[in-house]
């Protein structure tokens, strides 16, 4: 029996939040984000660092390719290039302001997971999601 697609989220600069698809080149990955593959569900957050408003859409990964590591560099964050086809638009706001109150890192809440993964270290990245966080995000699209 094939494994069902996993869920991920990306926080990146998204110039056109209404586009039908997006391409993201050499994105930093954390929290199992490097395992992203074709067919996986991904939630797209327009980075507030670049003027975005948080969650904008849900999509499906249509291509995923590891970025080769640089030679002679000891510590490198894995990076991946992906393309995403939009499958739904966010209907409610969810961004840094809404997630900021969830900062008890040990409470097990999906909102806290998102705050931790995206905003504790505010760099743009692709992250793997728990089933609870994916379920929470599905209610926003």
């Amino acid at each position: 029996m094939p494994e069902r697609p996993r869920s991920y989220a990306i926080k990146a600069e998204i110039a056109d939040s209404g586009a039908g698809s997006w391409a993201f080149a050499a994105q930093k990955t954390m929290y199992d984000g490097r395992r992203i593959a074709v067919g996986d569900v991904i939630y797209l957050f327009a980075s507030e660092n670049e003027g975005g408003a948080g969650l904008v859409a849900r999509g499906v990964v249509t291509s995923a390719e590891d970025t080769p590591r640089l030679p002679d560099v000891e510590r490198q964050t894995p990076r991946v290039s992906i393309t995403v086809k939009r499958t739904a638009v966010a209907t409610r706001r969810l961004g840094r302001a809404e997630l900021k109150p969830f900062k008890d890192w040990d409470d097990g809440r999906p909102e806290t997971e998102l705050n931790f993964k995206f905003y504790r270290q505010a760099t743009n990245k692709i992250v793997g999601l728990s089933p609870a966080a994916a379920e929470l995000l599905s209610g926003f699209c």
Side-chain angles (χ1 to χ4, degrees):
M1 181 167 153
E3 185 177 327
R4 84 172 188 42
R6 294 188 263 204
S7 295
Y8 294 86
I10 182 171
K11 183 171 66 115
E13 181 175 4
I14 299 176
D16 181 2
S17 61
S21 64
W22 299 270
F24 301 99
Q27 295 297 298
K28 180 178 181 178
T29 63
M30 296 179 73
Y31 311 107
D32 267 349
R34 71 184 176 279
R35 298 181 188 276
I36 196 165
V38 170
D40 287 335
V41 172
I42 188 163
Y43 294 89
L44 296 98
F45 284 74
S47 176
E48 290 93 339
N49 294 338
E50 281 92 17
L55 181 65
V56 295
R58 178 180 63 223
V60 63
V61 178
T62 58
S63 72
E65 185 176 329
D66 290 337
T67 301
R69 292 185 179 254
L70 299 172
D72 302 324
V73 177
E74 259 186 65
R75 292 190 57 178
Q76 294 180 54
T77 300
R79 293 181 179 268
V80 65
S81 295
I82 63 171
T83 56
V84 176
K85 179 182 176 190
R86 185 185 68 207
T87 58
V89 175
T91 58
R92 295 186 291 155
R93 180 167 166 75
L94 183 65
R96 184 178 204 126
E98 291 76 22
L99 294 169
K100 190 173 185 176
F102 300 95
K103 53 188 168 198
D104 177 0
W105 302 141
D106 296 321
D107 69 6
R109 295 183 63 146
E111 298 92 341
T112 305
E113 175 186 339
L114 293 168
N115 184 20
F116 180 85
K117 289 179 176 179
F118 275 154
Y119 301 114
R120 184 176 140 267
Q121 181 185 37
T123 60
N124 292 343
K125 63 192 83 127
I126 297 172
V127 299
L129 297 175
S130 70
E135 185 176 338
L136 172 78
L137 290 174
S138 72
F140 282 81
C141 294

